[in-house]
Amino acid sequence: MNAISLDIRPHEDWFQAHVASERARERENPAPLTLKEQHTANVLAHARAITAKERLSPTEVRASLLAALYHDVARFEQFRRFRTFRDAESFNHGQWGVRILKREARLADELPETRRLTLAAVGLHNRYALPSRLPEPFRRVANVVRDADKLDILRVMDETLHHPDAATRTAVLSLPDVPGLYSSRVREDALADRVAAYADLRSVNDFRVLLGTWIGDLNYATSRRRFLEEGHARHLVETLPEDDAYRDVRAHLLRRLSGGLC
Ligand SMILES: [Fe+2]
């Protein structure tokens, strides 16, 4: 009987060719596609690190790596056709990714169990929360991808929000970047160690707070360790203003992000 291989090289080769063909069709502005390609490589690297340390079956590990590689496979078509990465203005890119993988028969050579786990994780990776009745193996694999994705989103946001131009920061998030504007719900969530919600954001600074609360939204100890070690969340929280709106939230989050409380 063959052992489950963790070599996904043929899939990585196909993915590279897919990106190259999408890029060839995108003459106007290929830069966003390059960012997504880099993001995919980083998410796959995080997934490798998480699965190397956590207790998962070989099938779950293989599915986690495949789902990390393919989680944003629909982003390239999404940008080319709709000029945006906003799902509300185009399509649900997790579900569309499942369609692409089926259309291209990408998982036809995988074991049925690997195929099911991979497709579910791709389809669920961008949901606000996983369905409460999702069976454990599906949950474990989806959570690897969701943790790995968050770890790299932190990097992207750390780089983006340090852009010196406030107009650029606002454009990226569609949120105003002005002092004094904040959400009391986001404040309360952060102080109570809850994960803040996108729907409550009122400003770019609220978004910095939300990203800091993500330490409570990671599923694996390995992910939390990497989150703290990489320092992106701390870096983001440190740039919050020390005014009445954020002083206590900033201090509270910095204590949590120094690694002592989780
Ligand atoms: Fe995604």
Side-chain angles (χ1 to χ4, degrees):
M1 198 174 136
N2 286 339
I4 303 275
S5 165
L6 299 185
D7 177 9
I8 61 163
R9 194 70 238 172
H11 290 279
E12 293 177 79
D13 291 344
W14 178 87
F15 185 83
Q16 266 188 1
H18 175 70
V19 175
S21 92
E22 289 286 345
R23 190 183 284 119
R25 298 169 74 174
E26 172 55 58
R27 301 219 174 81
E28 217 174 287
N29 183 15
L33 304 189
T34 304
L35 291 180
K36 287 294 172 195
E37 186 181 20
Q38 183 60 49
H39 167 68
T40 296
N42 292 344
V43 170
L44 180 55
H46 283 305
R48 281 191 204 282
I50 296 166
T51 54
K53 297 268 189 201
E54 301 289 339
R55 290 168 66 91
L56 297 159
S57 73
T59 305
E60 290 165 8
V61 174
R62 183 168 177 87
S64 298
L65 300 182
L66 290 172
L69 174 69
Y70 287 136
H71 78 288
D72 269 354
V73 68
R75 286 300 204 185
F76 305 90
E77 185 181 327
Q78 184 181 41
F79 186 78
R80 181 167 51 74
R81 285 175 52 194
F82 299 96
R83 322 307 299 166
T84 182
F85 289 131
R86 286 176 212 276
D87 284 13
E89 294 165 21
S90 52
F91 52 54
N92 178 317
H93 75 276
Q95 287 169 15
W96 202 268
V98 171
R99 289 178 67 148
I100 292 176
L101 294 177
K102 287 182 176 171
R103 186 183 75 206
E104 302 290 328
R106 286 313 310 145
L107 302 169
D109 295 337
E110 298 295 327
L111 295 172
E113 175 77 352
T114 311
R115 188 159 56 231
R116 280 194 291 270
L117 290 169
T118 305
L119 289 174
V122 171
L124 294 171
H125 87 271
N126 55 332
R127 291 261 293 243
Y128 178 69
L130 291 178
S132 56
R133 287 161 187 264
L134 191 68
E136 261 313 314
F138 290 92
R139 183 173 296 280
R140 280 195 290 274
V141 173
N143 279 337
V144 170
V145 179
R146 288 163 67 89
D147 278 14
D149 199 16
K150 283 201 176 75
L151 286 168
D152 196 56
I153 291 171
L154 248 290
R155 172 193 65 84
V156 172
M157 286 305 156
D158 191 14
E159 288 168 9
T160 304
L161 295 189
H162 279 86
H163 197 283
D165 175 10
T168 303
R169 300 195 294 268
T170 292
V172 169
L173 293 169
S174 305
L175 287 169
D177 193 8
V178 289
L181 196 59
Y182 70 95
S183 153
S184 32
R185 180 80 60 87
V186 169
R187 260 182 60 80
E188 285 162 21
D189 285 339
L191 291 171
D193 294 348
R194 288 188 298 262
V195 180
Y198 279 102
D200 294 325
L201 300 178
R202 296 192 61 201
S203 66
V204 169
N205 280 328
D206 280 347
F207 190 61
R208 292 188 170 101
V209 173
L210 177 140
L211 293 170
T213 68
W214 273 8
I215 185 63
D217 202 21
L218 296 169
N219 299 284
Y220 291 104
T222 310
S223 318
R224 290 190 285 275
R225 199 172 313 119
R226 288 172 86 84
F227 186 95
L228 297 176
E229 279 169 9
E230 294 194 342
H232 295 301
R234 189 175 329 150
H235 199 206
L236 283 157
V237 168
E238 274 168 354
T239 54
L240 285 170
E242 294 190 76
D243 59 14
D244 288 349
Y246 291 106
R247 188 180 301 110
D248 52 352
V249 171
R250 182 180 182 279
H252 182 81
L253 284 174
L254 285 178
R255 267 198 305 280
R256 271 189 103 191
L257 296 171
S258 67
L261 291 180
C262 60

